[in-house]
Amino acid sequence: MKILTSVLLSFLTMIFTSCNLPKKNSADPASSVGTKNLAAKIEKIELTEQSRGVNRLYTFTKKEKTTTLNGSSSTLAMPVSEWDKICTEVNLLNLTTIENLESPTTGRFSDAALSSDIVIYIDGKTYHSASFDAGIPNEKLKALYNALKDPSGTILQKSKNTK
C-alpha cells in the first residue's frame, strides 16, 4: 500500500508541477525575436510631428516611405538597407513598454516644440509610444527616431510629389 501511495503521490506531483511551468509566448512579436523574422512581421511604422499649424506624418513600409506635410504627400522607394536598419532598431525595443517612456522635455505643451509620437504596426498589433518633443525622444527611442527621421533630409529633398 505504501508503494502505491508513493507512486500515486509522485505521479500527481509531476502532473501539477509541469502544469505550472512558465511558457514562453513566441507568438508575441514584442518578445525578443530575430531581426529577419521581425522585419517580415512589421506592417508599417508612423512618425507623427504636429502642432496647431503643422501636421507632418512619415509612414514607412518595407517597400516605400511617404511624407505628408499638411495634406501634401510625397513618396520614395524604401532602400533595403534603410528598412533593415529600422527593423534592427525596432527589434531592440520592448514594444509593450514604449507607451510608458517619459519624454525628457515638455515644450510641446506650450507650442514650443512639435508633439511627436511613433506608432509601430506588427502582425496585427499596434504599439504607440508616449508623446515627446520633436527631435528629443526618450533615450530608448532615440536610435529608432534617428533612423526614421533621416538626418540627411533625403526624405523631403528627393521625393516626388504624389498629391
Side-chain angles (χ1 to χ4, degrees), residues 45-62:
I45 300 172
E46 295 177 341
L47 168 62
T48 304
E49 298 178 332
Q50 57 190 1
S51 69
R52 285 187 238 180
V54 175
N55 191 6
R56 207 178 289 148
L57 173 66
Y58 301 97
T59 305
F60 302 86
T61 65
K62 185 176 184 172

Side-chain angles (χ1 to χ4, degrees), residues 127-146:
Y127 301 93
H128 292 267
S129 74
S131 67
F132 55 90
D133 291 353
I136 313 172
N138 180 286
E139 194 63 36
K140 292 181 180 180
L141 289 174
K142 192 175 229 172
L144 175 60
Y145 178 82
N146 290 337

Side-chain angles (χ1 to χ4, degrees), residues 8-153:
L8 184 60
L9 187 58
S10 297
F11 179 72
L12 289 174
T13 303
M14 185 175 67
I15 288 176
F16 288 120
T17 57
S18 67
C19 291
N20 293 328
L21 291 175
K23 292 181 173 88
K24 190 172 186 180
N25 184 4
S26 61
D28 184 7
S31 64
S32 180
V33 294
T35 303
K36 293 292 182 187
N37 293 338
L38 185 62
K41 292 181 180 186
I42 296 176
E43 297 159 15
K44 71 178 175 179
I45 300 172
E46 295 177 341
L47 168 62
T48 304
E49 298 178 332
Q50 57 190 1
S51 69
R52 285 187 238 180
V54 175
N55 191 6
R56 207 178 289 148
L57 173 66
Y58 301 97
T59 305
F60 302 86
T61 65
K62 185 176 184 172
K63 295 185 179 192
E64 63 186 22
K65 50 188 174 180
T66 303
T67 301
T68 305
L69 177 61
N70 296 335
S72 297
S73 296
S74 56
T75 301
L76 279 173
M78 174 63 80
V80 173
S81 61
E82 226 175 288
W83 182 249
D84 288 345
K85 180 173 174 49
I86 290 169
C87 291
T88 299
E89 297 303 335
V90 169
N91 194 43
L92 295 174
L93 295 172
N94 181 348
L95 297 175
T96 58
T97 64
I98 64 171
E99 67 185 349
N100 300 319
L101 297 175
E102 288 189 33
S103 175
T105 56
T106 59
R108 65 195 175 283
F109 297 133
S110 62
D111 274 348
L114 296 173
S115 178
S116 297
D117 69 323
I118 297 172
V119 182
I120 303 169
Y121 301 87
I122 298 179
D123 206 23
K125 294 184 180 181
T126 305
Y127 301 93
H128 292 267
S129 74
S131 67
F132 55 90
D133 291 353
I136 313 172
N138 180 286
E139 194 63 36
K140 292 181 180 180
L141 289 174
K142 192 175 229 172
L144 175 60
Y145 178 82
N146 290 337
L148 294 173
K149 190 65 178 167
D150 188 16
S152 65

